[in-house]
Amino acid sequence: MAGNVFGDPITDEDVKIIYPNKEIITRRDRAEVAFLNINAKGRDANAKTFVHNLKERYGNGISALCMIFNATGDTLTYSGKHDWHGHIYESPYPAKIQNGQWGAFLHVHPSWFAGSESAVVYRGFNGDDYLCDWMLSWGIPYIGDNHAYTEIREGHHYETDHWDNIQSLLESQCTHYEDTWNGCYSMVTIGEGTSPEFVGIMTLEGITGRNKININSFLTSNASASAKRA
């Protein structure tokens, strides 16, 4: 397991524990059980601890404490990023995030007077074996309010330059955004201040609605922790 992914992967065996009589297990079943376990066995807490330790080593300055969760039913693979301002610090973007795992990383501002503004893309499948890209983005300006934006498109979509348009969409948003596309769902949220937590959830359409309490409890604690400034 990579050093910046957290939690045991959710597999068919985990689905059988909850649904012992289920004969055919689908990607959607694995996604559902992954989301049920979003906070289980300290996986979310371990991701938080990791990224806060990165921040402590980095020190003062604008930074995004990023934590992203995979509940798509299969492994998501890193497929690219785009930095408008800033860069990743010390620990890379996770190359793979298995179903039911959190990935964590710190994105920091450049040395000159600018904030942290970036996007990352992960590739996987919807419930019908269609290749999709989940794009998660955040912005912490040097002056002004923080913002978050996400969208999902067909696989390899972001290999074409859409970044000027995405930047405009990102900067027009507030601190929470959701997207649904082709059976997939993503949600992003960012806290206030100059070093907030940024949380992204990548899953399938309809999965989160079945267990809102898990995500709401995580986002509540996220908003509280993000209140401090660098």
Side-chain angles (χ1 to χ4, degrees):
M1 183 184 297
N4 57 345
V5 294
F6 304 91
D8 294 331
I10 299 298
T11 66
D12 288 357
E13 295 305 313
D14 298 290
V15 176
K16 290 177 183 177
I17 292 172
I18 297 177
Y19 303 110
N21 298 320
K22 198 171 188 63
E23 295 183 1
I24 299 175
I25 295 175
T26 67
R27 182 178 293 120
R28 187 171 186 83
D29 295 327
R30 292 192 297 272
E32 177 186 343
V33 175
F35 196 80
L36 287 170
N37 284 276
I38 191 170
N39 311 118
K41 298 181 180 179
R43 66 189 68 212
D44 59 330
N46 290 337
K48 279 175 177 273
T49 297
F50 175 84
V51 75
H52 278 274
N53 285 342
L54 280 178
K55 171 59 179 173
E56 186 174 345
R57 290 197 293 276
Y58 173 69
N60 292 335
I62 293 174
S63 54
L65 287 73
C66 301
M67 294 165 284
I68 57 179
F69 186 70
N70 174 11
T72 65
D74 274 315
T75 298
L76 289 172
T77 301
Y78 169 78
S79 62
K81 55 91 175 175
H82 186 85
D83 292 324
W84 293 285
H85 298 295
H87 56 88
I88 201 78
Y89 173 77
E90 193 175 294
S91 181
Y93 293 104
K96 293 184 182 297
I97 306 173
Q98 296 184 71
N99 184 50
Q101 289 186 322
W102 284 93
F105 51 90
L106 183 71
H107 190 272
V108 301
H109 75 138
S111 58
W112 44 282
F113 296 119
S116 162
E117 187 176 38
S118 189
V120 64
V121 180
Y122 278 86
R123 183 166 298 150
F125 293 93
N126 70 1
D128 298 316
D129 296 325
Y130 188 89
L131 196 66
C132 299
D133 283 352
W134 282 256
M135 189 281 299
L136 314 173
S137 62
W138 61 91
I140 309 167
Y142 189 73
I143 297 173
D145 296 328
N146 298 341
H147 31 260
Y149 175 71
T150 181
E151 62 182 37
I152 310 154
R153 297 293 184 268
E154 70 278 1
H156 305 281
H157 174 82
Y158 299 97
E159 294 171 10
T160 301
D161 188 358
H162 301 284
W163 297 114
D164 286 347
N165 182 54
I166 290 170
Q167 184 181 29
S168 296
L169 291 168
L170 168 63
E171 293 179 353
S172 70
Q173 303 306 324
C174 56
T175 58
H176 181 95
Y177 196 86
E178 302 176 41
D179 190 39
T180 301
W181 183 84
N182 199 18
C184 301
Y185 170 83
S186 60
M187 183 280 301
V188 289
T189 185
I190 193 168
E192 302 293 343
T194 58
S195 288
E197 292 179 356
F198 169 83
V199 175
I201 308 294
M202 297 168 284
T203 186
L204 304 181
E205 186 175 2
I207 295 295
T208 59
R210 300 187 63 176
N211 197 27
K212 279 288 187 184
I213 188 170
N214 279 1
I215 189 62
N216 288 340
S217 65
F218 186 88
L219 296 180
T220 298
S221 62
N222 168 58
S224 176
S226 294
K228 74 170 189 174
R229 303 182 69 87

